[in-house]
């Protein structure tokens, strides 16, 4: 009974205050031992001090301190360190270097004299720095920067402040800050609030300036908004002396490595445009996304909308397409499997060929909607396993609704009635199905015969005239080829073997009409198919190299050299009743390609066998040297469509801190430059800022230049650009193939 009574609490008039319960972390830290290593150590028994001297290393939990001399007060859990002091706190990702530190090793609070604090890419330097919490500091007469420089070097940029409160990974407030560039004061403010995060962060970007002949001097200021880990935005305000203010918005997001999107929008009231065309308001909207629900089920969108047809010429950086006939907006839903693919899409066009830039042609034809299906040729019956000859079957199907805002047809003769053969249809429905079969088999030991046959059925539903139109075409395409090869054991350290292949091939193509109604409508290339009766030959030499990587010993295969010739023979032309038109042989095309040790080149030549002259020459080459420089050169000359151009450029990247690129496009036919572009980027070793310069001189838009300075927070931060690059790399891996086996 006495034991039971002792277990009950005893109440009094004044209850004693309860001691706060300590966290598990605090309880564990109280039990942590304090370890030290030193050349000499002394103990002051009266004051309960431990004095350590000579290469002192002191450890408490994950905190490590090294110094020339350390005095430890065990009662107060406090230490004072001098002489080349280094303090590391891995749990806070913080490293301190100082002349003297007064520090409580349990609370992790203290005072740093003439020291530097590093956390991520952030660096604090001051005469006095107080550590007032986890990753929290205040300093006096000090600087903040992200530049990695030595103590005796001038910092490219830094913020000096009389007093500042800093939270690493958060934000900082500074009193009377001065922004220094190269040690020179540039900007002063009585107060400043700025981020000190090691990842993407919201804030104003440094201004960019430039100029052009058509817009005048330009000054742009931008605000970057880090909306989350997977999306961000940039708003901008740009002033153009000839046109006025232009507002901009860029929004980017990424759902996974394969799914991302980007929206750009710009708006201005253009003083120059209103003088030329009477309109002031101008805008453009672009949007792109690729959303993959699974690797095989995807949705893609491309949106291009402009207030006028001149916008793409005046502001080429906002939207591409200055040489196109129109802007295309497309939405696509796709599904792919091993042998099938399905696409449902809609395409809307905005014409750029209008006399009035604010108007669009109502006769432009849109594809709303369009459905396509393809079944790849495959041996679905498994005859290859049964009889040794595969029976390949495949088909394609498409449906399109052609639609124009201008009505059912274009009334060419303005009589209000559709006249077949004179007026052009603007609206129609079309279906097209094209099944095909193939049975490739060997002929003897050396030849392979690939007979292939298909039938294309096309049907149009029309709202005017004859409401139904039909076309049926056969498609017969047998081909015979062979493959002669020999392997040479080269035995080099890099190149081990070379495989030489000689691949001749002869193809016959016959595609006659079986059914063809009169005056079928023409909307695209599918409607323009005509009777084909040709034979062609091809002769190809290839040298495939087997190489071994010196570092990884991996085996690689690549086409080192390729020489090919081909020519068509038109049987219909040979049977023509007009003797003067009987020139059935087409141009002989020769192709020479090479890829050797960073050098790639391709040359194509078309030769007219009747006039005995070259009708087209095209040469292209690129060289990547061992110092990361790139050189490009392309030359094209056409006789039938007179043109004679040469273009090329180079990228010099052999200096880590300076990147220079240029590109030139010259019209030899008219003896003038079409385009000159020069780009330079200065990226110093401190890796905390970059200078970008861009100069352009184009034939159609004149001269333009831009310059901008970027203040960088390290080189390995999370960014949408990095994530998008990873997504693109994954897409490339999905499409990559394998080399030939030797």
């Amino acid at each position: 009974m006495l034991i039971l009574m002792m277990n009950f609490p005893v109440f009094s008039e004044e209850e004693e205050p309860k001691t706060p319960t300590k966290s598990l972390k605090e309880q564990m830290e109280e039990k942590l031992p304090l370890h030290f290593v030193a050349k000499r150590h002394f103990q002051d028994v009266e004051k309960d001090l431990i004095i350590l001297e000579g290469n002192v290393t002191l450890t408490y939990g994950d905190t490590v301190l090294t110094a020339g001399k350390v005095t430890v007060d065990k009662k107060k859990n406090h230490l004072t360190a001098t002489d080349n002091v280094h303090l590391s706190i891995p749990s806070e990702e913080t490293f301190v270097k100082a002349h003297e530190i007064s520090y409580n090793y349990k609370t992790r609070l203290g005072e740093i004299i003439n020291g530097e604090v590093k956390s991520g890419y952030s660096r604090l330097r001051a005469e006095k720095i107080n550590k007032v919490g986890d990753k929290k500091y205040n300093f006096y007469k000090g600087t903040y920067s992200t530049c990695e420089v030595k103590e005796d070097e001038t910092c490219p940029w830094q913020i000096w402040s009389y007093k500042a409160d800093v939270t690493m990974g958060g934000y900082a407030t500074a009193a009377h800050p001065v922004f220094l560039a190269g040690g020179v004061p540039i900007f002063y403010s009585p107060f400043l609030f700025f981020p000190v995060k090691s990842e993407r962060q919201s804030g104003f970007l440094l201004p960019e300036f430039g100029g052009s002949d058509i817009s005048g001097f330009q000054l742009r200021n931008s605000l970057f908004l880090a909306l989350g880990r997977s999306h961000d935005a940039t708003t901008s305000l740009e002033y153009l002396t000839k046109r006025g203010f232009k507002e901009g918005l860029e929004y980017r997001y990424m759902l996974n490595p394969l799914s991302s999107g980007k929206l750009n929008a710009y708006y201005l009231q253009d003083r120059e445009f209103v003088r030329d065309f009477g309109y002031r308001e101008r805008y453009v909207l672009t949007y792109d996304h690729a959303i993959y629900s699974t690797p095989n089920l995807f949705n893609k969108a491309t949106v291009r909308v402009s207030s006028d047809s001149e916008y793409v010429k005046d502001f080429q950086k906002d939207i591409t397409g200055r040489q196109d006939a129109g802007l295309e907006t497309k939405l696509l839903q796709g599904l792919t499997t091993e042998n099938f693919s399905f696409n449902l899409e809609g395409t809307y066009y905005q014409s750029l060929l209008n006399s009035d830039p604010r108007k669009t042609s109502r006769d432009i034809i849109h594809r709303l909607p369009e459905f396509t299906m393809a079944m790849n040729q495959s041996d679905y019956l498994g005859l290859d396993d049964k009889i040794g000859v595969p029976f390949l079957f495949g088909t394609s199907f498409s449906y399109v609704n052609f639609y124009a805002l201008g009505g059912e047809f274009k009334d060419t003769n303005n009589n209000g009635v559709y006249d077949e053969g004179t007026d052009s249809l603007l609206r129609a429905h079309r279906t097209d199905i094209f099944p095909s079969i193939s049975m490739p088999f060997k002929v003897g030991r050396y030849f392979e015969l690939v007979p292939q046959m298909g039938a294309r059925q096309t049907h149009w539903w029309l709202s005017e005239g004859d409401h139904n139109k039909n076309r049926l075409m056969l498609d017969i395409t047998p081909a015979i080829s062979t493959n002669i090869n020999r392997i040479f054991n080269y035995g080099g350290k890099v190149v081990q073997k070379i495989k030489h292949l000689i691949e001749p091939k002869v193809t016959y193509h016959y595609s006659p009409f079986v059914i063809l109604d009169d005056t079928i409508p023409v909307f695209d290339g599918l409607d323009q198919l005509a009777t084909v009766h040709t034979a062609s030959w091809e002769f190809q030499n290839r040298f495939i190299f087997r190489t071994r990587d010196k570092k990884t010993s991996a085996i690689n295969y690549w086409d080192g050299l390729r020489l090919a010739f081909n020519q068509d023979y038109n049987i219909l032309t040979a049977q023509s009743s007009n003797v003067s038109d009987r020139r059935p042989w087409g141009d002989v095309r020769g192709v020479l390609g090479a890829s050797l040790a960073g050098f790639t080149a391709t040359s194509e030549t078309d030769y007219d066998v009747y006039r005995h002259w070259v009708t087209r020459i095209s040469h292209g080459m690129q060289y990547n040297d061992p110092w990361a420089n790139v050189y490009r050169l392309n030359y094209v000359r056409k006789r039938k469509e007179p043109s004679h151009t040469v273009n090329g450029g180079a990228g010099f990247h052999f200096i880590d801190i300076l990147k220079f690129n240029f590109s030139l496009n010259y019209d030899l036919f008219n003896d003038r430059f079409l385009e000159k572009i020069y780009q330079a980027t200065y990226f110093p070793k401190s890796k905390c800022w970059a200078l970008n310069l861009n100069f352009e001189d184009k034939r159609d838009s004149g001269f333009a230049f831009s310059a901008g300075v970027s203040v960088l927070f390290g080189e390995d931060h999370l960014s949408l650009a990095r994530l998008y690059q990873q997504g693109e790399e994954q897409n490339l891996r999905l499409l990559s193939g394998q080399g030939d086996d030797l």
Side-chain angles (χ1 to χ4, degrees), residues 218-237:
Q218 305 167 25
L219 179 63
R220 174 176 174 171
N221 201 8
S222 302
L223 173 64
F224 177 78
L225 302 173
L227 304 175
R229 183 178 175 83
S230 60
H231 62 139
D232 61 33
T234 302
T235 62
S236 63
L237 181 64

Side-chain angles (χ1 to χ4, degrees), residues 681-695:
T681 300
Y682 175 66
F683 190 58
K685 292 183 178 180
S686 59
K687 300 181 180 180
C688 61
W689 70 282
L691 173 64
N692 303 292
L693 300 174
N694 186 75
F695 299 89

Side-chain angles (χ1 to χ4, degrees), residues 234-300:
T234 302
T235 62
S236 63
L237 181 64
E238 184 176 7
Y239 179 71
L240 304 91
T241 55
K242 289 186 178 182
R243 300 184 181 274
F245 287 96
K246 184 174 73 169
E247 303 165 18
L249 170 66
E250 299 176 10
Y251 174 71
R252 297 158 293 268
Y253 66 90
M254 176 160 286
L255 304 179
N256 56 56
L258 289 178
S259 301
S260 63
K262 181 179 181 180
L263 180 145
N264 289 355
Y266 301 94
Y267 172 83
L268 77 157
Q269 293 191 351
D270 196 333
R271 295 194 301 262
E272 190 78 10
F273 194 70
V274 72
R275 284 194 291 265
D276 296 338
F277 299 101
Y279 302 101
R280 181 181 297 274
E281 292 189 349
R282 307 184 72 185
Y283 60 85
V284 71
L285 173 69
T286 67
Y287 175 72
D288 297 275
H289 82 226
I291 306 297
Y292 283 80
S293 303
T294 68
N296 298 326
L297 180 63
F298 54 88
N299 180 278
K300 295 184 178 182

